[in-house]
PDB file of all heavy atoms in Angstrom:
ATOM      1  N   SER A 224      -8.172  29.172 -33.481  1.00 91.00           N
ATOM      2  CA  SER A 224      -8.115  30.466 -32.752  1.00 91.00           C
ATOM      3  C   SER A 224      -8.324  30.354 -31.214  1.00 91.00           C
ATOM      4  O   SER A 224      -7.646  30.954 -30.478  1.00 91.00           O
ATOM      5  CB  SER A 224      -9.143  31.551 -33.325  1.00 91.00           C
ATOM      6  OG  SER A 224      -8.828  31.782 -34.791  1.00 91.00           O
ATOM      7  N   VAL A 248      -8.025  33.368 -14.955  1.00 71.00           N
ATOM      8  CA  VAL A 248      -7.620  32.583 -16.103  1.00 71.00           C
ATOM      9  C   VAL A 248      -8.295  31.402 -16.287  1.00 71.00           C
ATOM     10  O   VAL A 248      -8.681  30.881 -17.336  1.00 71.00           O
ATOM     11  CB  VAL A 248      -6.107  32.362 -15.965  1.00 71.00           C
ATOM     12  CG1 VAL A 248      -5.593  31.463 -17.162  1.00 71.00           C
ATOM     13  CG2 VAL A 248      -5.254  33.620 -15.944  1.00 71.00           C
ATOM     14  N   HIS A 264     -18.958  19.325 -31.032  1.00 83.00           N
ATOM     15  CA  HIS A 264     -20.024  18.293 -30.684  1.00 83.00           C
ATOM     16  C   HIS A 264     -19.454  17.247 -29.784  1.00 83.00           C
ATOM     17  O   HIS A 264     -19.722  15.993 -29.848  1.00 83.00           O
ATOM     18  CB  HIS A 264     -20.638  17.619 -31.970  1.00 83.00           C
ATOM     19  CG  HIS A 264     -21.156  18.668 -32.914  1.00 83.00           C
ATOM     20  ND1 HIS A 264     -22.285  19.283 -32.642  1.00 83.00           N
ATOM     21  CD2 HIS A 264     -20.699  18.922 -34.150  1.00 83.00           C
ATOM     22  CE1 HIS A 264     -22.517  20.139 -33.788  1.00 83.00           C
ATOM     23  NE2 HIS A 264     -21.595  19.926 -34.638  1.00 83.00           N
ATOM     24  N   ASP A 339      -8.777   1.054  -9.902  1.00 92.00           N
ATOM     25  CA  ASP A 339      -7.962   0.842  -8.686  1.00 92.00           C
ATOM     26  C   ASP A 339      -8.797   1.148  -7.433  1.00 92.00           C
ATOM     27  O   ASP A 339      -9.535   2.144  -7.394  1.00 92.00           O
ATOM     28  CB  ASP A 339      -6.658   1.710  -8.665  1.00 92.00           C
ATOM     29  CG  ASP A 339      -5.570   1.099  -9.558  1.00 92.00           C
ATOM     30  OD1 ASP A 339      -5.884   0.061 -10.138  1.00 92.00           O
ATOM     31  OD2 ASP A 339      -4.491   1.732  -9.741  1.00 92.00           O
ATOM     32  N   SER A 404     -26.291  29.564   5.367  1.00 83.00           N
ATOM     33  CA  SER A 404     -26.675  29.866   6.700  1.00 83.00           C
ATOM     34  C   SER A 404     -27.717  28.860   7.193  1.00 83.00           C
ATOM     35  O   SER A 404     -27.722  28.388   8.340  1.00 83.00           O
ATOM     36  CB  SER A 404     -27.296  31.277   6.621  1.00 83.00           C
ATOM     37  OG  SER A 404     -28.341  31.398   5.848  1.00 83.00           O
ATOM     38  N   GLU A 421     -15.936  37.840   0.145  1.00 79.00           N
ATOM     39  CA  GLU A 421     -15.109  37.908  -1.008  1.00 79.00           C
ATOM     40  C   GLU A 421     -15.689  37.093  -2.144  1.00 79.00           C
ATOM     41  O   GLU A 421     -15.559  37.491  -3.321  1.00 79.00           O
ATOM     42  CB  GLU A 421     -13.690  37.357  -0.768  1.00 79.00           C
ATOM     43  CG  GLU A 421     -12.904  38.193   0.258  1.00 79.00           C
ATOM     44  CD  GLU A 421     -13.395  37.824   1.724  1.00 79.00           C
ATOM     45  OE1 GLU A 421     -13.420  36.598   2.078  1.00 79.00           O
ATOM     46  OE2 GLU A 421     -13.674  38.749   2.425  1.00 79.00           O
ATOM     47  N   LEU A 424     -17.898  39.204  -4.124  1.00 64.00           N
ATOM     48  CA  LEU A 424     -17.172  40.182  -4.881  1.00 64.00           C
ATOM     49  C   LEU A 424     -16.411  39.557  -6.071  1.00 64.00           C
ATOM     50  O   LEU A 424     -16.490  40.084  -7.194  1.00 64.00           O
ATOM     51  CB  LEU A 424     -16.188  40.883  -3.924  1.00 64.00           C
ATOM     52  CG  LEU A 424     -15.122  41.844  -4.617  1.00 64.00           C
ATOM     53  CD1 LEU A 424     -15.833  43.036  -5.232  1.00 64.00           C
ATOM     54  CD2 LEU A 424     -14.093  42.328  -3.654  1.00 64.00           C
ATOM     55  N   PHE A 452     -24.959  37.541  13.241  1.00 96.00           N
ATOM     56  CA  PHE A 452     -24.482  37.427  11.843  1.00 96.00           C
ATOM     57  C   PHE A 452     -23.301  38.359  11.679  1.00 96.00           C
ATOM     58  O   PHE A 452     -23.511  39.545  11.503  1.00 96.00           O
ATOM     59  CB  PHE A 452     -25.604  37.669  10.918  1.00 96.00           C
ATOM     60  CG  PHE A 452     -25.310  37.603   9.385  1.00 96.00           C
ATOM     61  CD1 PHE A 452     -24.577  36.538   9.024  1.00 96.00           C
ATOM     62  CD2 PHE A 452     -25.744  38.468   8.521  1.00 96.00           C
ATOM     63  CE1 PHE A 452     -24.325  36.349   7.606  1.00 96.00           C
ATOM     64  CE2 PHE A 452     -25.445  38.326   7.145  1.00 96.00           C
ATOM     65  CZ  PHE A 452     -24.748  37.284   6.742  1.00 96.00           C
ATOM     66  N   ARG A 480      -3.801  44.861   1.150  1.00 77.00           N
ATOM     67  CA  ARG A 480      -4.941  44.028   1.205  1.00 77.00           C
ATOM     68  C   ARG A 480      -5.853  44.248   2.315  1.00 77.00           C
ATOM     69  O   ARG A 480      -5.510  45.077   3.290  1.00 77.00           O
ATOM     70  CB  ARG A 480      -4.530  42.502   1.261  1.00 77.00           C
ATOM     71  CG  ARG A 480      -3.681  42.168   2.425  1.00 77.00           C
ATOM     72  CD  ARG A 480      -3.494  40.707   2.640  1.00 77.00           C
ATOM     73  NE  ARG A 480      -4.718  40.121   3.215  1.00 77.00           N
ATOM     74  CZ  ARG A 480      -4.707  39.005   3.933  1.00 77.00           C
ATOM     75  NH1 ARG A 480      -3.570  38.323   4.109  1.00 77.00           N
ATOM     76  NH2 ARG A 480      -5.774  38.430   4.405  1.00 77.00           N
ATOM     77  N   ARG A 483      -6.486  47.533   4.721  1.00 88.00           N
ATOM     78  CA  ARG A 483      -5.487  48.598   4.149  1.00 88.00           C
ATOM     79  C   ARG A 483      -6.074  49.108   2.813  1.00 88.00           C
ATOM     80  O   ARG A 483      -6.052  50.189   2.501  1.00 88.00           O
ATOM     81  CB  ARG A 483      -4.090  47.989   3.893  1.00 88.00           C
ATOM     82  CG  ARG A 483      -3.488  47.558   5.210  1.00 88.00           C
ATOM     83  CD  ARG A 483      -2.222  46.742   4.872  1.00 88.00           C
ATOM     84  NE  ARG A 483      -1.512  46.199   6.145  1.00 88.00           N
ATOM     85  CZ  ARG A 483      -0.502  45.453   6.120  1.00 88.00           C
ATOM     86  NH1 ARG A 483       0.011  44.960   4.988  1.00 88.00           N
ATOM     87  NH2 ARG A 483       0.034  45.065   7.246  1.00 88.00           N
ATOM     88  N   LEU A 496     -20.451  49.078   3.509  1.00 97.00           N
ATOM     89  CA  LEU A 496     -20.818  49.530   4.791  1.00 97.00           C
ATOM     90  C   LEU A 496     -22.359  49.937   4.778  1.00 97.00           C
ATOM     91  O   LEU A 496     -23.050  49.616   5.768  1.00 97.00           O
ATOM     92  CB  LEU A 496     -19.999  50.700   5.290  1.00 97.00           C
ATOM     93  CG  LEU A 496     -18.560  50.382   5.667  1.00 97.00           C
ATOM     94  CD1 LEU A 496     -17.817  51.632   6.072  1.00 97.00           C
ATOM     95  CD2 LEU A 496     -18.497  49.313   6.787  1.00 97.00           C
ATOM     96  N   TYR A 596       4.153  24.156  10.820  1.00 82.00           N
ATOM     97  CA  TYR A 596       2.913  24.818  11.245  1.00 82.00           C
ATOM     98  C   TYR A 596       2.343  24.147  12.463  1.00 82.00           C
ATOM     99  O   TYR A 596       1.943  22.929  12.464  1.00 82.00           O
ATOM    100  CB  TYR A 596       1.845  24.679  10.100  1.00 82.00           C
ATOM    101  CG  TYR A 596       0.504  25.305  10.342  1.00 82.00           C
ATOM    102  CD1 TYR A 596       0.365  26.697   9.998  1.00 82.00           C
ATOM    103  CD2 TYR A 596      -0.483  24.645  10.930  1.00 82.00           C
ATOM    104  CE1 TYR A 596      -0.805  27.299  10.237  1.00 82.00           C
ATOM    105  CE2 TYR A 596      -1.730  25.271  11.189  1.00 82.00           C
ATOM    106  CZ  TYR A 596      -1.848  26.652  10.818  1.00 82.00           C
ATOM    107  OH  TYR A 596      -3.147  27.270  11.005  1.00 82.00           O
ATOM    108  N   SER A 602       4.838  30.161  21.492  1.00 95.00           N
ATOM    109  CA  SER A 602       4.496  31.525  21.197  1.00 95.00           C
ATOM    110  C   SER A 602       3.068  31.694  20.794  1.00 95.00           C
ATOM    111  O   SER A 602       2.432  32.749  21.187  1.00 95.00           O
ATOM    112  CB  SER A 602       5.382  31.995  19.939  1.00 95.00           C
ATOM    113  OG  SER A 602       5.065  31.243  18.802  1.00 95.00           O
ATOM    114  N   LEU A 697     -12.306  10.192  24.458  1.00 79.00           N
ATOM    115  CA  LEU A 697     -13.276  11.196  23.866  1.00 79.00           C
ATOM    116  C   LEU A 697     -12.789  11.637  22.478  1.00 79.00           C
ATOM    117  O   LEU A 697     -13.580  11.685  21.501  1.00 79.00           O
ATOM    118  CB  LEU A 697     -13.544  12.302  24.799  1.00 79.00           C
ATOM    119  CG  LEU A 697     -14.668  13.325  24.405  1.00 79.00           C
ATOM    120  CD1 LEU A 697     -15.975  12.574  24.180  1.00 79.00           C
ATOM    121  CD2 LEU A 697     -14.750  14.360  25.479  1.00 79.00           C
TER     122      LEU A 697
END
Side-chain angles (χ1 to χ4, degrees):
S224 297
V248 177
H264 306 290
D339 282 355
S404 59
E421 299 78 51
L424 172 66
F452 184 42
R480 57 167 286 203
R483 299 171 181 174
L496 290 178
Y596 184 88
S602 64
L697 184 58

